[in-house]
Amino acid sequence: MATGLTLSLALPQFAFADDYRLGAQDKLTIRVAEWQTVEGTFRDWSAINGEYTVGPAGTLSVPFVGEMPASGKTTSEIAASLGEALQRKLALADKPEASVEMAQYRPFYISGEVQSPGQYPCVPGLSVLKAMSIAGGARRNPESGQRFDRDLINAKGNFDVLQDQLVRLTVKRARVEAELADKPTFAVPKEVADDPKLPSIVADETAILAADQKKLKLRLQALDDLKALLQSEIDSLQKKIVNQQKQVDLAKEQLNGIGSLAQK
C-alpha cells in the first residue's frame, strides 16, 4: 500500500546552536556587565539586560546603542559587537562584557498532509522528519485502515494458495523421482512435513504413483506380448524360407535330371 505525502516546510537553516544564524522573530537574552577596576567588582547594566526580539528588518534595538544589525550573525558575534558599540558610544575605558543567548528560536511553518499544520517554535537539530512529528505526523485517512485490513486479507489468501501449491509440487517431485527410480513408494520431503494438508496430498500422489506403475506394467506386458508375437512370426517366416529353399533345390535336381535324359 503506497501513501502519497505532500507538505510545505519553511524552517531556519542550522546544524548546531553555535552555528545558528539569527533572523527575524528570534528572541535573545542579553546581559551586560562592566568590571569596576577601582571597586574590584562587576556592575550589571540593568538598563540593557533583558530579552530582545530581532525585528522584521533583521536588527536589534538596544538602549544606548540603537539599531544594530543582527540578521545572519551568531550570538557570539552579536555579543562582541554589542560590547564594542557600548564602549564606543559611552567612551568607556574598558569594554563591557556582553552575553547573548537564545531565548526562543524563530518559528517554522509546516503545511500539507500533516495532522496539525501551522506555526511551531524551532529547535536546534530540527529535520523534516522531526518537524512532521511536531505537527502530529502524516495525515491519516480514515479509510486507510480498512484498505490495509483488506489488503492484508488478500495477501494472506494469496500466501495460503501459494503455500499449498508449493507443498503439492514438492510432494509431486518426490513421487516423480520414485517413478524414475522404479520405487513403489516415496519419502515425504522434510521441508513440508509440518503442513496440515500433507496427509491428503501424500495420499493423492501415492494413488497416482500406484496407477502410473500399474499402467507402466500393463504397457510393458503388452510390449512383451507383441515381442513374442513378432518373434513367432519371424520363426514362421524363417521356416517358410527353409522349406522354399528345399523346394528350389529339389526343382533344380529335377531340371538337371530332365536335362540328362534329353541328351541321351
Side-chain angles (χ1 to χ4, degrees):
M1 178 178 62
T3 302
L5 177 63
T6 303
L7 59 87
S8 174
L9 181 63
L11 49 83
Q13 301 295 320
F14 60 86
F16 301 98
D18 292 342
D19 299 328
Y20 180 70
R21 298 290 172 176
L22 298 173
Q25 299 186 54
D26 278 326
K27 293 184 179 181
L28 307 175
T29 298
I30 296 179
R31 293 183 178 86
V32 179
E34 180 187 4
W35 173 253
Q36 300 292 315
T37 306
V38 177
E39 299 175 2
T41 59
F42 279 101
R43 183 183 68 181
D44 285 333
W45 291 45
S46 57
I48 295 179
N49 294 347
E51 188 174 286
Y52 295 82
T53 301
V54 180
T59 59
L60 285 172
S61 180
V62 182
F64 307 119
V65 176
E67 298 290 329
M68 59 180 299
S71 182
K73 294 185 177 182
T74 64
T75 54
S76 58
E77 291 173 344
I78 293 294
S81 298
L82 179 58
E84 293 172 356
L86 288 172
Q87 183 183 22
R88 184 176 60 256
K89 290 276 187 178
L90 302 177
L92 301 175
D94 298 321
K95 183 178 73 172
E97 295 294 332
S99 171
V100 180
E101 298 177 351
M102 292 298 305
Q104 181 177 318
Y105 292 96
R106 61 186 181 271
F108 71 92
Y109 303 87
I110 183 170
S111 62
E113 295 299 319
V114 291
Q115 289 291 336
S116 303
Q119 172 183 314
Y120 296 91
C122 196
V123 293
L126 184 67
S127 63
V128 173
L129 186 60
K130 290 181 180 179
M132 288 183 59
S133 178
I134 292 173
R139 181 177 297 166
R140 292 175 287 276
N141 190 330
E143 296 181 357
S144 61
Q146 298 178 0
R147 188 184 305 114
F148 177 78
D149 292 340
R150 184 167 57 252
D151 292 343
L152 181 61
I153 293 173
N154 292 337
K156 181 64 169 60
N158 293 335
F159 175 80
D160 291 341
V161 171
L162 293 175
Q163 181 68 21
D164 182 72
Q165 291 179 354
L166 175 62
V167 174
R168 291 183 181 278
L169 289 174
T170 302
V171 177
K172 182 178 181 180
R173 182 184 64 185
R175 187 259 300 170
V176 172
E177 291 175 350
E179 285 185 6
L180 294 175
D182 196 22
K183 295 180 179 179
T185 59
F186 60 89
V188 176
K190 294 181 180 179
E191 59 266 31
V192 296
D194 297 332
D195 191 276
K197 297 181 181 179
L198 185 63
S200 62
I201 297 175
V202 171
D204 293 341
E205 292 297 330
T206 301
I208 294 174
L209 176 62
D212 288 347
Q213 288 184 336
K214 182 178 180 180
K215 187 187 301 182
L216 179 60
K217 289 181 179 180
L218 292 175
R219 292 180 63 183
L220 291 175
Q221 183 62 44
L223 289 174
D224 289 340
D225 294 343
L226 179 60
K227 179 182 177 181
L229 177 61
L230 293 175
Q231 186 63 47
S232 176
E233 291 182 356
I234 291 173
D235 294 341
S236 176
L237 290 173
Q238 287 178 342
K239 290 179 180 180
K240 287 181 179 181
I241 291 173
V242 172
N243 291 332
Q244 289 179 353
Q245 185 63 43
K246 289 180 178 180
Q247 291 178 1
V248 170
D249 293 341
L250 181 59
K252 287 181 178 180
E253 291 178 359
Q254 291 177 353
L255 287 174
N256 290 333
I258 294 172
S260 298
L261 292 174
Q263 290 177 358
K264 293 179 179 181

